[in-house]
Amino acid sequence: MTDRTGAEPPRAPLLTGPAARSVAWQALMLAAIVWLLWAAIDNAARNMRARGIPTDFDFWNRTAGFDINKTLVPFSAANSTYGDAFVVGLLNTLMVAVCGIVFATVLGFIIGIARLSKNWIVASLAGGYVEIIRNTPLLLQLLFWYNAVLTPLPGPRQSIALPGGAWVNNRGLFLPDPQFGPGSGYVLLTLVVGVVATLVLRSVSRRKRLQTGRGLPVLWPSLTLVVGAPLAVFLMLGAPLTWSYPELRGFNFAGGLRVFPEFVALLLGLSLYTAAFIAEIVRAGITAVSRGQTEAASALGLRPGLTMRLIVVPQALRVIIPPLTNQYLNLTKNSSLAVFIGYPDLVQVFAGTVLNQTGAAVQVISITMAVYLVISLVTSALMNLYNRRIALQER
Amino acid sequence: MTDAISTGAFVRRAFSEPLPPPPSERGALGWVRANLFGGPLSAALTILSVALLVWMTPGLVRWLLIDAVWSAPDGDACRQAGTGACWAYVRAKLLFFTYGSYPRDMLWRVDLTLLIGAALAVWLLWPDAKRKGLGLVLFLVVYPYVGVMLLHGMGDVTRGLLASVARLTGSQSLADMAANALPVVGTHLWGGIFVSLLVATVGIVVSLPLGVALALGRQSKAPVVRFFCIVLIEVVRGVPLITVLFMANTMLPLFVPANWTPDRLLRPLIGVALFASVYMAEVVRGGLAAVPRGQYEGAMALGLSHWRMMRLIVLPQALTVVIPGIVNSFIALFKDTTLVAIVGIFDFLRAVDTQRLDPTWTGPTISTTGYVFAAAFYFVFCFGMSRYSLMMERRLSYGRKH
């Protein structure tokens, strides 16, 4: 009698089994992709040769021959190269992105909290803002701010005065410009030292509190370190800070800090738009903290302010931060809409002017995409690290 | 222990009626106290908000309605000082805003296409509609073909087919139709709202199947497929739509043989469709992750093959869960269609943005009027879609509770 149970299960045939089939399909697909890529590159090479389009990166070091009206680094048509134009565009993109992120975050948190307010009218106003902003295209808002609000402003002679010595007209926003005198470096140094010392003090206090249940006083020493010490140094050095106020001279303003209307419109549009999305994220994050947490905190005798700071916010942040980072990336990517209102960002300068002048489409577009891609991937990587650190530790 | 009751002491047998809350906590007054003047901060905020509204509303209403110019032959009336919105301008330009430069005697072709699209959309979006599978096939397969034929014109293949049918049957009217019906209207004449809707519809029609395919590919066991999908999704998601449009516009013609150069409207359509697909893939991936493992195992235990398991068990559940997400990505797509203006397509917003410089009409209020009109249009569409998504979310979560 043969024991059937010990028999080996029927083996799948080597060439027609699922594994072999999968390998065959993948090989076929790989071949198709490689063939498509090769055909595309071959076509591109032939087409570019036929149309006299450059296929190398020589253009990078050639003189640009165009001017950019707003630069963070020196740039001139005669001496600067296309490579310099790239740097100028990238810096302008980063500047508007960083400013936009700061404004959008502050505004977004305020509106998000206002939406949760028990005050009906405040909550409704915040809700109306969010719905109107989120349901209209960003490009429309940018065009509105630039073409319908900033461009029709009166000329320099009829400038509108803003509080604090600032002016606004159709040539831009004119702000008082801080002039740092000699010794300002020491003030900055004291500030940096103060911030570092505060961070150290906080972590020492935290460790002590976890061990003994009683921490060190933090608030007053940190205020002294961060605000008091730099202020003392500043006053000791004889207040080396003067303001250069913009003044109307002839047909335009002289002195002060000129912010171009394109930048104002872009910053305004991006911040207001992203703030609406951040507000929804903040609202969702705070709502996600269960009521029991707040009630337990009250039962422990924590005041509402402390409950918010110690119980709700830390838990809400865990929910808020990942989508918030996503919004920051969106804002950075959306800053490419600058091209529609003529703000010289990476896309407008590099993928616009440089592309048109050199005709090096493939190289220029690839570099532009690579820049945004690197920004996105680096941010995502940092975010993953952070998420791993703050992830809920279940025991 | 009933003795205690019989001692004659008064013991209450029934609950007394609860007293009504004090008048200050009831009705309108109570509501105002609770919701508007809950504390000093709340009261201050209420007063500030009301002041803001009182300050802004009359001006807004005057500008939008009372001082607005409703009908005028040209921009003169709107250029008077103190006038509000120039709705006469919107009325005069409405045909251009809707159809661009599409030949005026053939507008019925656009109207019919939009009508069919709207009917199909209602069929698919109506929660209780029957035979949605058929609707989906019509929308994804038949409608694109009919739409292209109506909007662009009858292609040579269809014309030839019709001509041969006419020869076979000997019908003269059919032969006439084959020769003359639906002449080609070049895409350089297309513009306005209908192009915006077209770009959005193409994005939706392509991104649904392609997004599902990419999402499935991303979690495939085959490394080649998975790697390809991940790279495509992450690269396209990492860059702005504008650069994708630039790429489609300037690089795509280089990558195909010289005599294949795609139409100028087709290029941004490819870019938008690709962009929408990768975002759709991420939404669908969320849905796939929400299908419990047991569903896969149950399907395998029933002996379903991989594709039947996906088609019959996994995808229906995954897609139902993410209907709100899909609608939200449609809203984003609809707003993003405005960006095709960068490659010279006359979508609705570009039509509005160029016409404000028309010398017959140009004036101080024209820009704002145009933008307010455009904003109202986009708001109605996007807000409607977001309400729909909320409704579906509520319906779906209702189903889940049982």
Side-chain angles (χ1 to χ4, degrees):
Chain A
M1 202 161 95
T2 49
D3 184 13
R4 296 279 299 173
T5 54
E8 286 190 4
R11 292 251 308 263
L14 196 61
L15 285 176
T16 53
R21 221 163 30 206
S22 158
V23 170
W25 273 115
Q26 290 187 59
L28 213 62
M29 190 171 160
L30 195 63
I33 294 173
V34 168
W35 178 75
L36 265 179
L37 274 181
W38 180 81
I41 292 169
D42 186 51
N43 278 326
R46 200 171 311 146
N47 284 330
M48 285 162 88
R49 222 176 302 123
R51 296 180 204 178
I53 297 173
T55 49
D56 49 25
F57 288 89
D58 283 351
F59 70 89
W60 190 265
N61 290 320
R62 238 175 295 139
T63 311
F66 65 91
D67 247 322
I68 304 176
N69 66 5
K70 181 176 190 319
T71 61
L72 286 175
V73 290
F75 187 89
S76 72
N79 301 322
S80 300
T81 62
Y82 289 122
D84 295 333
F86 168 80
V87 173
V88 167
L90 180 60
L91 286 178
N92 279 342
T93 290
L94 290 178
M95 182 167 76
V96 80
V98 168
C99 296
I101 284 172
V102 171
F103 284 121
T105 310
V106 173
L107 194 61
F109 270 78
I110 293 174
I111 294 169
I113 291 167
R115 276 206 83 175
L116 289 171
S117 163
K118 285 201 194 75
N119 187 318
W120 178 81
I121 195 160
V122 170
S124 317
L125 278 179
Y129 172 85
V130 169
E131 289 298 349
I132 289 177
I133 295 282
R134 287 206 317 167
N135 286 317
T136 46
L138 172 59
L139 178 58
L140 174 60
Q141 295 176 29
L142 285 179
L143 291 176
F144 173 79
W145 290 118
Y146 187 61
N147 289 329
V149 176
L150 292 177
T151 314
L153 283 175
R157 280 163 176 278
Q158 285 89 37
S159 292
I160 301 164
L162 298 177
W167 297 83
V168 62
N169 58 42
N170 62 3
R171 297 201 192 163
L173 184 64
F174 295 82
L175 301 172
D177 192 10
Q179 307 283 319
F180 297 105
S184 302
Y186 293 109
V187 181
L188 192 69
L189 191 69
T190 326
L191 184 70
V192 171
V193 170
V195 169
V196 171
T198 307
L199 290 178
V200 170
L201 177 69
R202 273 187 54 150
S203 95
V204 168
S205 159
R206 189 182 146 81
R207 204 168 304 144
K208 189 155 180 291
R209 192 174 63 234
L210 287 177
Q211 278 169 0
T212 64
R214 194 168 284 274
L216 300 167
V218 171
L219 182 66
W220 285 108
S222 12
L223 272 183
T224 318
L225 282 170
V226 176
V227 181
L231 199 67
V233 174
F234 178 72
L235 292 176
M236 267 191 314
L237 288 168
L241 173 73
T242 49
W243 292 90
S244 145
Y245 287 97
E247 282 165 43
L248 187 65
R249 289 222 194 96
F251 292 107
N252 206 348
F253 276 88
L257 185 71
R258 178 176 173 196
V259 189
F260 282 77
E262 292 83 20
F263 181 79
V264 177
L266 187 63
L267 186 60
L268 209 59
L270 284 176
S271 314
L272 294 178
Y273 186 74
T274 314
F277 288 86
I278 292 180
E280 282 300 274
I281 291 169
V282 169
R283 183 176 74 112
I286 293 178
T287 331
V289 179
S290 73
R291 264 202 74 70
Q293 298 284 329
T294 322
E295 286 165 359
S298 318
L300 284 174
L302 289 181
R303 280 177 277 117
L306 276 182
T307 308
M308 202 66 186
R309 198 158 65 87
L310 299 177
I311 309 292
V312 177
V313 169
Q315 298 188 68
L317 276 185
R318 192 178 285 147
V319 183
I320 288 173
I321 290 203
L324 189 65
T325 324
N326 235 342
Q327 285 308 322
Y328 290 167
L329 282 181
N330 278 350
L331 189 145
T332 311
K333 284 187 276 177
N334 282 337
S335 72
S336 60
L337 265 61
V339 66
F340 283 94
I341 55 173
Y343 172 75
D345 82 321
L346 181 64
V347 170
Q348 204 259 350
V349 170
F350 196 61
T353 315
V354 173
L355 173 71
N356 285 340
Q357 289 199 0
T358 62
V362 177
Q363 300 92 309
V364 166
I365 299 283
S366 308
I367 293 173
T368 313
M369 289 177 114
V371 167
Y372 285 103
L373 200 58
V374 165
I375 295 176
S376 292
L377 292 182
V378 167
T379 315
S380 313
L382 290 177
M383 215 51 249
N384 285 343
L385 271 181
Y386 174 82
N387 277 341
R388 212 165 300 148
R389 241 194 71 188
I390 64 157
L392 202 58
Q393 288 181 4
E394 298 191 6
R395 298 195 175 94
Chain B
M1 292 279 223
T2 46
D3 304 54
I5 293 170
S6 55
T7 52
F10 173 74
V11 171
R12 223 190 151 92
R13 301 268 169 154
F15 284 109
S16 68
E17 282 294 308
L19 289 174
S24 63
E25 302 291 324
R26 263 186 302 167
L29 193 67
W31 185 87
V32 165
R33 258 183 64 124
N35 293 307
L36 297 181
F37 297 91
L41 180 68
S42 179
L45 283 173
T46 301
I47 290 167
L48 256 175
S49 312
V50 169
L52 189 75
L53 285 177
V54 166
W55 177 59
M56 277 178 61
T57 316
L60 214 58
V61 169
R62 261 213 313 281
W63 193 87
L64 284 174
L65 302 172
I66 299 170
D67 291 345
V69 178
W70 292 91
S71 64
D74 56 31
D76 279 342
C78 299
R79 282 183 216 120
Q80 309 295 329
T83 54
C86 187
W87 299 124
Y89 154 77
V90 173
R91 281 173 61 171
K93 296 284 180 190
L94 198 56
L95 218 54
F96 184 80
F97 288 167
T98 319
Y99 303 103
S101 311
Y102 206 87
R104 292 291 178 256
D105 55 336
M106 285 189 254
L107 294 186
W108 63 270
R109 290 164 60 170
V110 180
D111 294 337
L112 187 61
T113 318
L114 293 181
L115 209 66
I116 300 175
L120 284 173
V122 170
W123 184 358
L124 286 176
L125 296 177
W126 197 266
D128 298 323
K130 298 276 176 288
R131 314 212 49 186
K132 285 199 182 183
L134 178 66
L136 203 62
V137 170
L138 284 179
F139 186 65
L140 294 182
V141 182
V142 180
Y143 181 56
Y145 175 73
V146 173
V148 168
M149 200 163 82
L150 275 173
L151 292 177
H152 188 255
M154 207 187 288
D156 290 337
V157 178
T158 320
R159 226 174 262 287
L161 212 66
L162 214 57
S164 43
V165 172
R167 261 197 307 282
L168 279 177
T169 55
S171 153
Q172 186 56 43
S173 59
L174 218 56
D176 278 351
M177 227 169 103
N180 302 322
L182 298 177
V184 169
V185 178
T187 51
H188 60 282
L189 296 174
W190 300 17
I193 289 177
F194 110 77
V195 164
S196 289
L197 292 173
L198 173 82
V199 176
T201 313
V202 169
I204 291 170
V205 166
V206 176
S207 73
L208 264 179
L210 197 57
V212 171
L214 281 172
L216 289 178
R218 189 172 183 156
Q219 54 163 241
S220 158
K221 285 198 197 73
V224 173
V225 179
R226 193 172 58 232
F227 181 75
F228 175 74
C229 291
I230 290 180
V231 168
L232 188 64
I233 291 173
E234 292 304 326
V235 166
V236 178
R237 262 163 43 97
V239 299
L241 176 55
I242 286 197
T243 59
V244 176
L245 289 173
F246 267 127
M247 187 181 82
N249 200 42
T250 58
M251 276 163 78
L252 200 62
L254 295 176
F255 284 136
V256 296
N259 51 349
W260 273 21
T261 306
D263 181 81
R264 59 187 276 286
L265 179 61
L266 188 60
R267 283 179 251 163
L269 284 181
I270 293 173
V272 167
L274 178 70
F275 196 75
S277 299
V278 300
Y279 279 86
M280 186 62 68
E282 285 302 281
V283 173
V284 174
R285 184 164 78 119
L288 288 174
V291 176
R293 191 82 224 120
Q295 297 289 328
Y296 289 86
E297 287 161 0
M300 286 180 207
L302 285 174
L304 294 183
S305 71
H306 177 79
W307 292 112
R308 297 189 101 192
M309 171 177 81
M310 282 298 170
R311 190 165 61 82
L312 300 173
I313 309 290
V314 178
L315 276 179
Q317 299 186 58
L319 291 180
T320 318
V321 175
V322 293
I323 285 178
I326 292 176
V327 177
N328 282 342
S329 68
F330 286 166
I331 297 177
L333 171 65
F334 191 62
K335 290 191 291 176
D336 280 344
T337 59
T338 51
L339 302 195
V340 296
I342 196 67
V343 289
I345 305 301
F346 257 88
D347 76 314
F348 176 48
L349 186 55
R350 176 126 190 263
V352 172
D353 199 42
T354 48
Q355 289 307 299
R356 69 197 176 85
L357 301 174
D358 176 359
T360 339
W361 286 96
T362 187
T365 57
I366 293 298
S367 300
T368 314
T369 306
Y371 292 140
V372 168
F373 175 65
F377 169 79
Y378 283 105
F379 183 81
V380 166
F381 262 80
C382 297
F383 189 70
M385 280 198 272
S386 81
R387 288 296 111 165
Y388 173 80
S389 141
L390 275 182
M391 184 200 81
M392 284 312 283
E393 209 166 330
R394 219 163 294 139
R395 273 181 80 101
L396 292 174
S397 66
Y398 181 75
R400 280 192 161 232
K401 278 185 205 136
H402 289 263

